């Protein structure tokens, strides 16, 4: 069992890059944000617990996150290669992930730190639109759909994530600084941190990651 991590502030392009990497690599994309949003939509108890934190842009408690990630890992075969997106987000989650992977004979090989200037993060988040049916992600200026408000893939309606409103975006960026940035040093000390300029065109950033995985 191997894992790579896409680490970056809200809007750094973790989900967008993961979508591209899924087709060029054999890593399995696991996004805790997507798992939580699915649980909220389905009205599952874990979703009900997570909803109020997500609406405010706060982190969902570590115990809830570790439960959903551990349940997920238990389902997969030992040969699986994970690409975690938005997880881990605290030092406790990072340490618990190390333990869970080690108990399955696995380890983290690369942590890609997606570096993007702050003003670009805010404009990416405020212009993001997501398909209500299939979850495809667009940006009103950078990556627009062919027809405004309509998904290219399934023709579903596009919506703005509730946590992409300005006040919540600013809080999410603050929460990243306070609770997640310390992971950069944690993984640098372990010798697995790779910094990626993710402020560039997504194809260039993706090619950089693919090259690092191959080397
Ligand atoms: P989550 O869903 O993980 O949100 P996030 O980390 O805030 O990240 P985003 O999904 O907002 O951004 P992204 O980096 O994926 O950017 P994207 O590719 O969409 O988490 C949501 C909430 O769930 C959290 O606030 C928390 O409450 C909870 N949660 C989740 N995991 C948790 C955990 N482990 N612990 C505790 N709580 C947890 O791109 C953004 C926009 O930019 C898009 O419009 C896209 O089209 C555009 N774009 C992307 N790349 C480019 C590019 N290269 N050029 C131009 N535009 C681009």
């Amino acid at each position: 069992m191997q894992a790579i991590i896409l680490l970056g502030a809200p809007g750094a392009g973790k989900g967008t890059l993961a979508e591209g990497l899924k087709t060029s690599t054999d890593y399995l994309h696991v996004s805790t944000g997507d798992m939580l949003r699915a649980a909220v939509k389905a009205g599952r108890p874990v979703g009900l617990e997570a909803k109020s934190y997500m609406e405010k842009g706060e982190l969902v408690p570590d115990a809830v996150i570790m439960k959903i990630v551990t349940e997920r890992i238990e389902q997969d075969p030992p040969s699986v290669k994970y690409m975690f997106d938005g997880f881990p987000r605290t030092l406790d989650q990072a340490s618990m992930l190390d333990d869970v992977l080690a108990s399955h004979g696995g380890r983290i090989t690369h942590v890609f730190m997606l570096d993007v200037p702050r003003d670009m993060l805010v404009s990416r988040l405020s212009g993001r639109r997501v398909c209500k049916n299939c979850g495809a992600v667009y940006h009103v200026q950078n990556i627009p759909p062919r027809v405004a408000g309509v998904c290219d893939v399934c023709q579903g309606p596009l919506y703005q994530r509730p946590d992409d409103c300005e006040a919540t975006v600013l809080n999410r960026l603050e929460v990243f600084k306070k609770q997640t940035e310390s992971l950069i040093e944690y993984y640098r000390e372990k010798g697995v941190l790779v910094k990626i300029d993710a402020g560039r065109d997504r194809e260039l950033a993706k090619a950089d990651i693919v090259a690092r995985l191959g080397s």
Side-chain angles (χ1 to χ4, degrees):
M1 190 173 279
Q2 278 188 23
I4 62 171
I5 292 169
L6 301 179
L7 175 64
K14 302 181 293 293
T16 300
L17 276 169
E19 272 306 307
L21 287 164
K22 265 190 337 196
T23 51
S24 344
T25 69
D26 51 357
Y27 286 88
L28 192 69
H29 178 205
V30 175
S31 155
T32 43
D34 288 348
M35 289 163 91
L36 291 169
R37 278 184 289 276
V40 171
K41 198 172 168 186
R44 289 202 294 275
V46 68
L48 296 177
E49 196 174 348
K51 192 168 184 268
S52 62
Y53 295 96
M54 296 172 79
E55 280 170 352
K56 287 182 269 184
E58 299 292 332
L59 293 187
V60 173
D62 288 341
V64 176
I65 298 294
M66 288 316 298
K67 186 169 182 284
I68 59 170
V69 172
T70 309
E71 277 173 8
R72 174 62 211 251
I73 288 177
E74 303 298 340
Q75 282 171 22
D76 291 319
S79 56
V80 70
K81 291 162 78 178
Y82 290 110
M83 169 167 49
F84 289 115
D85 153 7
F87 170 81
R89 265 170 141 103
T90 63
L91 285 170
D92 282 345
Q93 289 181 20
S95 157
M96 286 189 266
L97 176 62
D98 287 343
D99 293 345
V100 174
L101 289 174
S103 72
H104 289 78
R107 68 186 179 97
I108 293 163
T109 58
H110 300 75
V111 175
F112 295 103
M113 168 58 207
L114 309 181
D115 201 26
V116 176
R118 190 179 190 279
D119 55 346
M120 200 182 272
L121 295 172
V122 174
S123 86
R124 281 186 181 181
L125 290 171
S126 56
R128 172 165 53 192
R129 298 292 182 272
V130 183
C131 175
K132 219 167 197 140
N133 291 346
C134 73
V137 176
Y138 300 87
H139 187 280
V140 287
Q141 274 129 23
N142 305 345
I143 305 168
R146 283 193 289 272
V147 177
V150 180
C151 179
D152 292 349
V153 183
C154 72
Q155 282 69 56
L158 304 186
Y159 79 109
Q160 186 166 29
R161 255 169 59 175
D163 60 345
D164 279 348
C165 68
E166 195 184 339
T168 311
V169 162
L170 296 180
N171 191 40
R172 286 161 62 201
L173 293 174
E174 201 51 37
V175 165
F176 176 80
K177 213 173 171 47
K178 284 200 192 126
Q179 294 180 263
T180 307
E181 239 174 28
S182 51
L183 292 181
I184 297 172
E185 206 41 49
Y186 179 83
Y187 288 120
R188 183 179 288 128
E189 280 173 13
K190 289 184 176 289
V192 290
L193 192 80
V194 182
K195 198 168 159 183
I196 299 289
D197 173 2
R200 296 172 294 168
D201 180 274
R202 58 187 162 154
E203 289 302 324
L204 295 176
K206 184 183 104 176
D208 209 356
I209 293 178
V210 171
R212 300 298 190 118
L213 287 171
S215 62

